[in-house]
């Protein structure tokens, strides 16, 4: 999640939105996007896309979806050039 989003919406609201999407989807047996749209409206979140990003990120954290947790991303970006330098020096 971007830093702007995390400052705009509290963690509790994001966690609640993710839970609500799962609950609504189970109850209605409808589409995930419809559930995200409904949750965004109920909680006053700007767009369903914001809720979708929260759901996807929670799936990454839970291991249900491939990807990297956003908290790890800056560290990986910082270490990538260092790793490339080591690979080059090892190849020489």
């Amino acid at each position: 999640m971007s830093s702007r989003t995390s400052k705009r919406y509290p963690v509790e609201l994001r966690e609640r939105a993710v839970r609500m999407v799962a609950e609504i989807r189970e109850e209605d047996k409808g589409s995930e996007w419809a559930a995200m749209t409904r949750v965004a409206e109920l909680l006053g979140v700007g767009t369903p896309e914001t809720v979708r990003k929260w759901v996807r990120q929670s799936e990454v954290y839970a291991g249900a979806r491939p990807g990297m947790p956003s908290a790890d991303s800056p560290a990986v970006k910082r270490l990538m050039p260092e790793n490339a330098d080591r690979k080059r020096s090892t190849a020489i």
Side-chain angles (χ1 to χ4, degrees):
M1 283 177 272
S2 71
S3 61
R4 192 180 93 228
T5 301
S6 62
K7 290 180 182 175
R8 184 170 177 190
Y9 298 105
V11 174
E12 297 81 18
L13 179 79
R14 288 181 266 155
E15 291 170 350
R16 181 175 179 205
V18 170
R19 285 191 310 270
M20 286 177 70
V21 167
E23 291 169 5
I24 289 173
R25 191 153 185 229
E26 284 178 20
E27 290 172 4
D28 297 345
K29 302 288 186 215
S31 75
E32 187 177 37
W33 182 253
M36 291 173 186
T37 302
R38 188 166 164 205
V39 168
E41 290 171 0
L42 289 170
L43 296 180
V45 174
T47 66
E49 177 64 16
T50 301
V51 175
R52 186 194 70 78
K53 289 179 183 179
W54 295 342
V55 170
R56 295 297 178 259
Q57 192 62 50
S58 72
E59 292 170 349
V60 169
Y61 278 113
R65 178 177 283 275
M68 180 185 318
S70 58
D72 295 345
S73 184
V76 171
K77 287 180 183 177
R78 183 178 47 81
L79 294 172
M80 284 178 66
E82 183 180 322
N83 191 32
D85 288 342
R86 288 185 180 176
K87 283 183 179 180
R88 278 192 294 273
S89 65
T90 303
I92 296 173

